[in-house]
């Protein structure tokens, strides 16, 4: 079966402002936010993208949704070349591929009633007004909000954080997308309401057959929602495999350190990893070869000379390390 999403060599370099010295030398510095990212996803699959702040998770998600333009690489979604989409094809893509925002106030205008915010995508997509009420009622049911009276006439500040995040989800789902990217979808919420939202997300994903990417720096969240995990470090995929295997048998030294740093319930074996030391290097000047090498306790000379390829080391489990 062909993959729903196929990403090859995806790269994003953001130009950054130049120092006087760089201007004098004619240099054009860039932030290497995403570098040579390659993976595929099947229809209905859920993948978590995990990594520290600044490793390129959000940029990857935005590239996939064509919210930022890639510098290099290809993205194929449902047979379409995403980078080349325009006109009616781009409009169709925008209906089928949705972003779930982290901060409800990025998605909802505080001065609009919830009805207006939820209906806005219908308006933009040209859905006839006669269908709106039914579509809104159906989507509110999906996110378990149909019992809240007068909800649609309220304003965002009148809702609790958990209700608001359900409204954001409803807005993302109202056009019945097939692919969603949820970027830190519950990081603004109290722990007590997180599980409720994640359950709703899991339920809608299953009933709607959605293909979903969950972006998070939180291993416990990824474990809860995604059977497959991609670990990124400084713009690159270092590991990609079944979530259980990534947690219980992480392969890459970075993934091992990341997993060891977080107590994961019911996973208690000694993973033999050393803690990561030092800071994440500057994405303007990443280390040569393996980007993790200057924080890696096992680095050898080859790690500075050659970029390690992402290789399949166990069924469905890839890692990029010369020492594996
Ligand atoms: N518009 C931009 N212009 C310049 N640099 C950018 C831009 N957007 C992101 N970056 C840089 O690209 C790198 C990756 O950023 P990104 O936001 O994708 O990381 P992230 O993994 O989502 O981090 P976080 O966990 O903090 O959300 C960072 O070094 C960031 O500073
Ligand atoms: Mg981010």
């Amino acid at each position: 079966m062909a993959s729903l999403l196929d990403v090859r060599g995806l790269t994003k370099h953001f130009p950054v402002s130049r120092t006087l010295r760089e201007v004098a030398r004619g240099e054009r510095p860039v932030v290497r936010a995403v570098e040579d990212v390659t993976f595929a996803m099947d229809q209905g699959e859920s993948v978590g993208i995990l990594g520290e702040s600044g490793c390129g998770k959000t940029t990857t998600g935005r590239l996939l949704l064509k919210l930022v333009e890639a510098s290099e690489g290809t993205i194929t979604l449902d047979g379409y070349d995403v980078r080349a989409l325009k006109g009616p094809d781009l409009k169709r893509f925008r209906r089928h591929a949705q972003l779930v925002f982290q901060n409800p106030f990025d998605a909802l205008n505080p001065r609009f009633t919830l009805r207006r915010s939820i209906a806005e995508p219908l308006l933009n997509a040209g859905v006839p007004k006669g269908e709106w009420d039914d579509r809104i009622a159906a989507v509110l049911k999906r996110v378990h909000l149909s019992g809240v009276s007068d909800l649609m006439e309220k304003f965002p500040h009148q809702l609790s954080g958990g209700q608001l995040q359900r409204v954001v989800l409803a807005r993302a789902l109202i056009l019945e997308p097939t692919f969603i990217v949820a970027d830190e979808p519950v990081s603004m919420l109290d722990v007590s309401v997180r599980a409720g939202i994640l359950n709703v997300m899991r339920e809608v994903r299953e009933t709607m057959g959605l293909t979903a990417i969950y972006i998070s720096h939180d291993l416990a969240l990824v474990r809860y929602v995604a059977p497959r995990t991609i670990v990124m470090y400084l713009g690159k995929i270092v590991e990609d495999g079944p979530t259980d295997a990534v947690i219980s048998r992480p392969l890459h030294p970075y993934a091992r350190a990341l997993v060891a740093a977080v107590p994961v319930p019911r996973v208690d074996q000694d993973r033999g990893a050393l803690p990561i030391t030092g800071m994440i290097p500057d994405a303007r000047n990443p280390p040569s070869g393996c980007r993790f090498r200057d924080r890696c306790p096992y680095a050898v000379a080859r790690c500075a000379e050659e970029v390690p390829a992402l290789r399949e080391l166990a069924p469905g489990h890839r890692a990029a390390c010369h020492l594996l």
Side-chain angles (χ1 to χ4, degrees), residues 202-213:
R202 191 151 66 177
E203 195 182 299
V204 290
R205 198 187 72 222
E206 282 166 9
T207 52
M208 295 175 78
L210 285 176
T211 305
I213 291 184

Side-chain angles (χ1 to χ4, degrees), residues 3-287:
S3 305
L4 180 88
L5 175 71
D6 190 88
V7 180
R8 298 206 183 160
L10 187 62
T11 297
K12 179 64 184 180
H13 293 168
F14 288 108
V16 287
S17 49
R18 299 191 281 176
T19 61
L20 283 177
R21 179 186 295 214
E22 285 164 339
V23 172
R25 289 181 181 171
E27 291 171 4
R28 302 204 169 274
V30 292
V31 172
R32 296 168 182 276
V34 173
E35 194 87 46
D36 197 16
V37 161
T38 297
F39 68 100
M41 283 176 73
D42 290 334
Q43 165 94 45
E45 195 176 9
S46 304
V47 172
I49 299 185
L50 186 70
E52 286 168 287
S53 183
C55 71
K57 305 180 296 295
T58 294
T59 305
T60 301
R62 296 179 71 85
L63 287 166
L64 299 180
L65 295 175
K66 203 175 162 69
L67 297 172
V68 292
E69 293 297 331
S71 308
E72 274 173 58
T74 59
I75 306 166
T76 312
L77 184 75
D78 211 4
Y80 284 86
D81 173 358
V82 171
R83 289 189 62 194
L85 289 176
K86 47 181 187 279
D89 285 340
L90 179 59
K91 213 169 166 187
R92 180 184 158 280
F93 170 78
R94 294 259 172 258
R95 293 178 67 149
H96 285 284
Q98 292 282 336
L99 178 67
V100 179
F101 285 89
Q102 165 183 18
N103 180 351
F105 291 99
D106 288 341
L108 306 174
N109 186 325
R111 286 167 310 185
F112 286 1
T113 62
L114 297 180
R115 177 181 306 283
R116 185 159 168 198
S117 283
I118 292 185
E120 199 178 35
L122 298 174
L123 179 71
N124 294 340
V127 175
K129 266 200 162 155
E131 293 179 21
W132 289 14
D133 281 350
D134 286 351
R135 297 278 289 257
I136 291 172
V139 82
L140 290 182
K141 205 166 165 196
R142 278 198 195 284
V143 300
H144 298 260
L145 273 179
S146 36
V148 185
S149 67
D150 296 334
L151 179 77
M152 288 295 92
E153 312 321 316
K154 291 191 168 147
F155 291 89
H157 72 269
Q158 295 174 294
L159 270 66
S160 70
Q163 286 175 326
L164 216 46
Q165 195 56 0
R166 284 169 206 229
V167 171
V168 170
L169 191 57
R171 192 178 190 272
L173 296 176
I174 195 148
L175 293 173
E176 311 232 320
T178 50
F179 175 63
I180 59 166
V181 174
D183 191 354
E184 306 275 9
V186 294
S187 67
M188 313 276 284
L189 298 173
D190 289 343
V191 172
S192 58
V193 290
R194 275 188 196 178
I197 298 291
L198 292 173
N199 284 337
V200 171
M201 291 184 89
R202 191 151 66 177
E203 195 182 299
V204 290
R205 198 187 72 222
E206 282 166 9
T207 52
M208 295 175 78
L210 285 176
T211 305
I213 291 184
Y214 294 92
I215 292 173
S216 184
H217 58 270
D218 181 352
L219 179 63
L221 181 143
V222 167
R223 179 174 188 244
Y224 197 75
V225 292
R228 175 176 159 201
T229 298
I230 288 177
V231 182
M232 289 184 73
Y233 182 79
L234 213 61
K236 292 189 70 84
I237 295 180
V238 295
E239 183 147 342
D240 171 9
T243 302
D244 286 345
V246 170
I247 290 173
S248 58
R249 294 180 299 283
L251 300 171
H252 194 281
Y254 174 67
R256 283 157 65 182
L258 197 68
V259 169
V262 190
V264 182
R266 295 194 299 278
V267 179
D268 52 10
Q269 59 267 55
D270 176 15
R271 299 180 202 92
L274 301 174
I276 317 172
T277 54
M279 298 288 288
I280 303 182
D282 182 358
R284 284 174 58 149
N285 288 306

